[in-house]
Amino acid sequence: MTDDATNHHPAHLELGVCDYPEQVSPQNWAEDARQQKALGLRYVRIAEFAWSRLEPQPGEYAWAWLDTAVELYAAAGLEIVFCTPTAAPPAWLIEQHPEILPIGRDGHTKTFGSRRHYDFSSPVFRQHSRRITRALAERYGQHPAVVGWQTDNEFGWGDTAHSFTPAARQGFQTWLQQRYGSLDALNTAWGNVFWSMEYSGWAQIPLPNQAVAEVNPSHALDFLRYSSDQVAEFQEEQVAILRECSPGRFVTHNYMGFFSAYDHYRVSRCLDFASWDSYPTGTLEALREWKLADPALALTYARTGHPDVTAFNHDLYRGMGTGKPGSGGETVPGFWVMEQQCGQVNWAPSNPLPPQGAVQLWTQQAWAHGADAVAYFRWRAATSGQEVLHSGLLRQNSTPDRGYPEVQALKVEDLPLGRVPARVAVLHDYESLWLYNMQPHADGMNYWAQVFAYYRALRSMGQDVDLVHPDSDLSGYALIVAPALTLMTPDRAAHLAAAAQHAHMVFGPRTGFRNESGGTPRTDSRAHSPRCWACRC
Amino acid sequence: MTDDATNHHPAHLELGVCDYPEQVSPQNWAEDARQQKALGLRYVRIAEFAWSRLEPQPGEYAWAWLDTAVELYAAAGLEIVFCTPTAAPPAWLIEQHPEILPIGRDGHTKTFGSRRHYDFSSPVFRQHSRRITRALAERYGQHPAVVGWQTDNEFGWGDTAHSFTPAARQGFQTWLQQRYGSLDALNTAWGNVFWSMEYSGWAQIPLPNQAVAEVNPSHALDFLRYSSDQVAEFQEEQVAILRECSPGRFVTHNYMGFFSAYDHYRVSRCLDFASWDSYPTGTLEALREWKLADPALALTYARTGHPDVTAFNHDLYRGMGTGKPGSGGETVPGFWVMEQQCGQVNWAPSNPLPPQGAVQLWTQQAWAHGADAVAYFRWRAATSGQEVLHSGLLRQNSTPDRGYPEVQALKVEDLPLGRVPARVAVLHDYESLWLYNMQPHADGMNYWAQVFAYYRALRSMGQDVDLVHPDSDLSGYALIVAPALTLMTPDRAAHLAAAAQHAHMVFGPRTGFRNESGGTPRTDSRAHSPRCWACRC
Amino acid sequence: MTDDATNHHPAHLELGVCDYPEQVSPQNWAEDARQQKALGLRYVRIAEFAWSRLEPQPGEYAWAWLDTAVELYAAAGLEIVFCTPTAAPPAWLIEQHPEILPIGRDGHTKTFGSRRHYDFSSPVFRQHSRRITRALAERYGQHPAVVGWQTDNEFGWGDTAHSFTPAARQGFQTWLQQRYGSLDALNTAWGNVFWSMEYSGWAQIPLPNQAVAEVNPSHALDFLRYSSDQVAEFQEEQVAILRECSPGRFVTHNYMGFFSAYDHYRVSRCLDFASWDSYPTGTLEALREWKLADPALALTYARTGHPDVTAFNHDLYRGMGTGKPGSGGETVPGFWVMEQQCGQVNWAPSNPLPPQGAVQLWTQQAWAHGADAVAYFRWRAATSGQEVLHSGLLRQNSTPDRGYPEVQALKVEDLPLGRVPARVAVLHDYESLWLYNMQPHADGMNYWAQVFAYYRALRSMGQDVDLVHPDSDLSGYALIVAPALTLMTPDRAAHLAAAAQHAHMVFGPRTGFRNESGGTPRTDSRAHSPRCWACRC
């Protein structure tokens, strides 16, 4: 991030809202902006999913309406977070290039009609992604009211991080060729002698979605890495354009809680900080399904979400940060809650109304966990489409919904000092997650549940916890816990051994059971004595 | 219905049976007919699924066997209800025109080998449907023993009301063009600005079965309307031929309990009255799945079905009737139970034996709810095919099964006077059902459960209930209950307001939350004050 | 089996192990073989899944490594059971002939990447199966250390016994033509008049996987017979080559517990004896799903498996034997446990560690039920691929895992005399199983549960039980129990009637309800008085 961008690290929590002016009559815009500012909001996030209005016909941009909206927000004193609109490619683009459509695990081509109907591996969509990003960034990138960017929206939503198109297959084969150089190296790394899975040509390597039964975990692991790289590269292409055309603005992405279809550390590398979309009542199924806590608590917390679950995700996405200078000069990772639930949602199996005070509580909790800003989703409830049962700060009929007065009553300047540095680190990496969940070995075993069990125990002892990557800087922690660090490399083992010089270490089951390729450490020669990879004991 | 047809409205309950002479040796036919008449049956329903015997080779009709069977029934004094055999297109037709086959939601083409393997949108199947209907109607339509017709069989069984073929896609696009005139109108009605779903060409509009996630409910709603229209038009084509070739006979269709894949009011318009197939023990899964009642009752009622569930469907299908003159000159809707369970069925997860007396009880209940006739399914248990575990009045070995003596002992003339006019109306429409069930918002929420809860409460107070369409004549009711009337139009609101002048009104949750397009009433301008669409309070 | 082969019938239980030398460094081989022999093992099973190492490029065999391994086993005094490697066709073969790949029930082509990715109906794969079998048999068939063969591995694993390829459809139609001669005969046998399912051309007959709803059970039954014949013929082609090139060696196949996708009696005809792969802790889901016993017992027996479940499968596969001369000259069916669990497995929902003593217990139980040999799976735990969480006698790091000392402590010579002849026969056939499970008629009804209920009751009375085919020799039994013998033919009825002269007979529900075609006995003419097909009472 450039120096200018760091200006956005706030002295106190800042508030914002997600708005979709294109979805309401323009006669509302000026009053909406005024009302937003009066409510104490600083930021408005816009243009997400607006592609069909930005470019109604191929190559014909329609800026007038957005120019007007931007000026009205600016005039009201709001700061704008712009979104690249790529999460919703328009119908004409799909008609021109149906090969953009992703193919699901089941082998069926997804259609237009929802969102995220694109394959990250599609070269033609990559080109259009760059084109629309550049057009938008050139038009608004240096507008004084524009302070930052969100790339796309919720990468991977709707099971779209993994696509099984011919382009993905070709891309995966090329990626493997670059990674391994030779088929011998790949066959050895994957241990393909098992079940005669050895390849004698790159073109023989299938995508891992239609095998007779589970594929080699090494095969699946590399496909997940490949897919993560596609998401990352897709975003990097947009970010490069935004850096060029919109200097001094931050760039972030709004992730989803617990989402694990790609490596969020890998994807976050090019960002200034990570954001996530916090919907506490929507996480109860995760609690129930993964048994994160006593399932009976799902009812207790039905209307607020389980507090540790929300906190866990705050700590998780804070940990994606590459680190920014704090007020005292030290590095303080920050994050945003880019979408904050402010009433009932619509997408969980059950969507109860949050109780009085929940919106304030969630906002304060975000601040306590280090959020720089919280933006409510959304200004007005939608009057059409898939989310009409989702609340906003305003109802469909323009009257305030229940979150509104709670936001109004918030005094962000009076909130106690935010997060204090944690002395405990819990180690998390997506590659271990994938290996764990691919082969849980026991019914109900789940990586998140395993990590969360330690997290909760630490929280119940009053400890602040950092969730960090095992290869990150571990100095400064008194206790380092690795609940499910099953993938171990010699470098990682050395790094942990060094950390063990100053910190207590706790390791969970299957620590170091897998090597970088997803196999087990190969110690089949009696010449090598076995030893623990984790602590070299 | 013509005047002749009204002759079939009976002074007392009439009985009948479904028979498949083509499935047994002709040496049984005369004795079977004699035995049916002796049992007190007036009607025999035949020729359902008999296409391969009526037209063994393309264009070569084989009438001889059916001529014989018809004469034997007539000679025995039975009256015949003929079926059009279109629910089971023969193998040679599928071989000639594989494009007739439906494509399921999962994108796979269904094959021959069961029944209902046709796409309602298929022009070529429509033509063959008309052809075989005309051939049959010309041959038997004016036979003195023939008193009525059943079109096809159980439209939509096997999830076939919605097909996802190229023909359906083309048909849907054309239907939309006719409904909306312009893409602007469609985009506005569906609110396609949400998620950039706007269309700039009719050919861009996909069927709603393979999107990344749920489609716009407005999109889905119109597809369900389109599909309903296909079922309706398919039937209307047959009915027009039957009216022409078989004057003075009634035409009906046998619906399935709780089935909701098309708008039964729309499809019923061309019928004289509706029929349904009543299998009380088969409905227990609905009770359990939708929690229509305490699931523990599923065991209590395992062998009889829950009485309110059966009653609900009687009242539902009676309400499809367009109204016929009653004995006192007033309009009395009638209906038939075209297939009445008379022993164990075979298609539910569990198929217990009905207890002694159940067959009589079910028959009497049908009469009490306004049925004009009850036809048992079936005369003889099948000796081959998918239903060998389904009972008939006779066993496979020609001996009476348990229903037989119960029918024998029935004195239909002695049954107390049938249904009395209801003072309570419960409003039901399929469009509200679709919107409710598409987005239930709470786990376990279900339209039928919502409507049934009110129905049961009213029944427990001893009230007779009419289940009627909200736009139907509501005069004469003292109480009108709308448990789940979520789709509201200005006209409907006015109609209900008028009804409220003479009746007490009760509205359930989400009443009037949706407009005709499935969005919410658009009141985003502060210039319009919001108000309740239902009661204009 | 030839006389030579009978030499392998042992005076006491023999032990063996499954080994995959190609998966470990050759520097281990000599010591591994020495250690195996020292552990008391007689047999080593090898070359399963080794095709990619036996033939790395089309037609280029690589024998050197296997020559070395064979000599090292032989030098250590081990006897070798060779496998044909056809369960894992190499990638180059699939690239050359993608039509080898099976198509699943869902219509999707399976890909390379796991195992069993071949269609039994594929002519080109049949040819390659014969070719690699001959190459292997010619190379090693007469090696003095080679004592027997296992064909392929676990036929049908991964739902591959039924394939839905164009080749399978063509093969099925030809098979039907040979079975029925005319379409009239087929239409009559299947009772296709029901639902107009009559065929007027062989090419019209579809595979039974994509119909609108369930297909005619007669259709499904014949497809299961066809599929069984494909498995049988596939194996027979290999066995003929093995008999020719490797005289005097036994041939067996390793079946899976409770597996029922093909007729194991039909497939076993060409074998000397049957083997099966015994994983007691992996069978608990069957216990729970089929309610073979109180589901609460699933926890009690989580670490050992339910003893009657294991015993049932021993008795089941012993009953596949065609009978060999026993020590006293009488016919004694034998069987092998070709893969015996010796630690945790990896493929069940939960895979707990077996308790101390379990490996000995399982071994002894196999002997008590008539096993001639027990081979542990596997020597070393895998270091790559799908089974790294599956134990072996050695861990990945060459140290003994928990099964090792138990095997070491076994004194096979001291085990009490094995199985005594049973006086009770329980009748089992796969055709009845298919018909039962196709149309269970009651939730939770399941063929295996029905048979097991009787088996368990008999076991609890201290009875040894033979599980035998109803058409097999039934002399010598005092009690014959047919828990679910729903398919009855006149010949079978006569055979049972003869058996009833000397034995008590017990029949379960639905006995004799189905004829050979899967319909019911056709007694619709009143001229025939009905009677019980089973006992002709």
Side-chain angles (χ1 to χ4, degrees), chain B residues 114-288:
Chain B
S114 172
R115 53 178 165 119
R116 304 211 57 75
H117 37 275
Y118 71 81
D119 174 12
F120 283 101
S121 296
S122 162
V124 67
F125 188 63
R126 290 278 190 95
Q127 180 237 313
H128 282 280
S129 156
R130 291 189 303 265
R131 188 180 55 73
I132 190 70
T133 297
R134 181 170 294 278
L136 203 62
E138 286 180 346
R139 182 90 188 174
Y140 302 106
Q142 304 203 42
H143 190 288
V146 173
V147 296
W149 291 85
Q150 172 191 303
T151 58
D152 201 279
N153 173 71
E154 295 182 348
F155 285 138
W157 179 92
D159 195 14
T160 53
H162 310 142
S163 180
F164 302 89
T165 57
R169 182 169 177 175
Q170 172 62 51
F172 181 45
Q173 289 168 349
T174 302
W175 184 94
L176 289 169
Q177 207 161 352
Q178 285 163 357
R179 180 178 177 94
Y180 291 105
S182 76
L183 284 164
D184 275 357
L186 178 143
N187 283 327
T188 300
W190 288 11
N192 278 335
V193 63
F194 186 85
W195 289 359
S196 226
M197 292 182 291
E198 291 168 304
Y199 297 103
S200 56
W202 295 101
Q204 292 164 1
I205 305 173
L207 294 176
N209 60 319
Q210 292 277 344
V212 165
E214 66 169 326
V215 298
N216 188 336
S218 302
H219 182 176
L221 178 63
D222 270 349
F223 179 71
L224 291 165
R225 285 171 172 148
Y226 164 76
S227 298
S228 292
D229 277 359
Q230 300 315 297
V231 177
E233 289 168 17
F234 178 88
Q235 177 169 260
E236 284 160 5
E237 292 175 7
Q238 292 197 355
V239 172
I241 293 164
L242 296 174
R243 299 288 187 213
E244 173 192 341
C245 302
S246 190
R249 274 72 176 182
F250 68 79
V251 184
T252 188
H253 178 76
N254 60 329
Y255 295 114
M256 295 174 283
F258 287 124
F259 196 72
S260 62
Y262 48 83
D263 184 335
H264 287 55
Y265 295 108
R266 168 74 185 89
V267 172
S268 298
R269 265 186 231 156
C270 64
L271 300 177
D272 293 308
F273 57 85
S275 301
W276 79 288
D277 296 345
S278 177
Y279 294 98
T281 68
T283 62
L284 289 168
E285 280 309 294
L287 185 150
R288 208 187 320 245

Side-chain angles (χ1 to χ4, degrees), chain A residues 22-25 27-28 31-32 35 49 51-53 57 88 91-92 95 108 110-116 157-158 160 344-345 349-351 378 380 383-389 396-398, chain B residues 106-108 190-200 203-204 206-207 210-219 439 441-443 510 513-514 518-526 528 530:
Chain A
E22 70 276 20
Q23 296 181 20
V24 295
S25 167
Q27 65 188 6
N28 292 295
E31 172 60 12
D32 278 1
Q35 197 177 0
F49 306 131
W51 197 337
S52 73
R53 287 290 165 103
Q57 300 291 336
W92 56 257
E95 189 180 31
H108 292 286
K110 312 272 192 186
T111 63
F112 187 85
S114 172
R115 52 178 165 120
R116 304 212 57 75
W157 180 92
T160 54
Q344 83 282 359
V345 302
S350 282
N351 301 287
R378 48 188 276 171
R380 289 168 172 278
T383 58
S384 68
Q386 285 85 334
E387 294 181 350
V388 293
L389 286 156
Q396 281 96 348
N397 64 9
S398 303
Chain B
D106 62 1
H108 291 287
W190 288 11
N192 278 335
V193 63
F194 186 85
W195 289 359
S196 226
M197 292 182 291
E198 291 168 304
Y199 297 103
S200 56
Q204 292 164 1
L207 294 176
Q210 292 277 344
V212 165
E214 66 169 326
V215 298
N216 188 336
S218 302
H219 182 176
Q439 300 191 314
H441 206 250
D443 200 17
R510 296 186 214 165
F513 180 62
R514 308 281 197 154
T520 70
R522 181 92 181 236
T523 55
D524 63 10
S525 166
R526 290 181 183 77
H528 301 102

Side-chain angles (χ1 to χ4, degrees), chain B residues 221-457:
Chain B
L221 178 63
D222 270 349
F223 179 71
L224 291 165
R225 285 171 172 148
Y226 164 76
S227 298
S228 292
D229 277 359
Q230 300 315 297
V231 177
E233 289 168 17
F234 178 88
Q235 177 169 260
E236 284 160 5
E237 292 175 7
Q238 292 197 355
V239 172
I241 293 164
L242 296 174
R243 299 288 187 213
E244 173 192 341
C245 302
S246 190
R249 274 72 176 182
F250 68 79
V251 184
T252 188
H253 178 76
N254 60 329
Y255 295 114
M256 295 174 283
F258 287 124
F259 196 72
S260 62
Y262 48 83
D263 184 335
H264 287 55
Y265 295 108
R266 168 74 185 89
V267 172
S268 298
R269 265 186 231 156
C270 64
L271 300 177
D272 293 308
F273 57 85
S275 301
W276 79 288
D277 296 345
S278 177
Y279 294 98
T281 68
T283 62
L284 289 168
E285 280 309 294
L287 185 150
R288 208 187 320 245
E289 186 186 338
W290 298 332
K291 299 194 179 58
L292 297 182
D294 180 352
L297 291 177
L299 194 58
T300 309
Y301 290 114
R303 299 179 67 198
T304 57
H306 190 290
D308 285 340
V309 169
T310 305
F312 183 92
N313 282 284
H314 286 320
D315 293 343
L316 174 66
Y317 291 107
R318 188 182 67 243
M320 296 297 147
T322 50
K324 294 175 295 180
S327 56
E330 82 286 10
T331 296
V332 179
F335 73 101
W336 279 34
V337 175
M338 189 57 93
E339 300 182 6
Q340 172 62 60
Q341 176 175 5
C342 61
Q344 83 281 358
V345 302
N346 72 310
W347 47 267
S350 281
N351 302 287
L353 202 61
Q356 206 65 38
V359 177
Q360 286 198 349
L361 180 74
W362 294 330
T363 306
Q364 290 162 347
Q365 186 186 25
W367 172 246
H369 282 267
D372 292 343
V374 167
Y376 300 100
F377 182 84
R378 48 188 276 172
W379 176 244
R380 288 167 172 278
T383 57
S384 69
Q386 285 85 334
E387 294 181 349
V388 294
L389 286 155
H390 196 296
S391 63
L393 289 174
L394 298 187
R395 291 199 184 88
Q396 281 96 347
N397 65 9
S398 303
T399 59
D401 207 341
R402 68 184 302 127
Y404 192 96
E406 294 194 27
V407 175
Q408 203 162 27
L410 263 176
K411 299 270 170 277
V412 290
E413 300 82 356
D414 298 347
L415 291 180
L417 188 65
R419 190 180 71 88
V420 291
R423 300 190 61 230
V424 181
V426 168
L427 305 186
H428 158 61
D429 78 307
Y430 291 91
E431 298 182 328
S432 286
L433 180 155
W434 296 331
L435 288 166
Y436 233 80
N437 287 355
M438 220 177 264
Q439 300 191 314
H441 206 250
D443 200 17
M445 192 62 164
N446 174 282
Y447 176 90
W448 287 126
Q450 178 71 7
V451 174
F452 192 77
Y454 285 77
Y455 178 86
R456 254 185 103 200

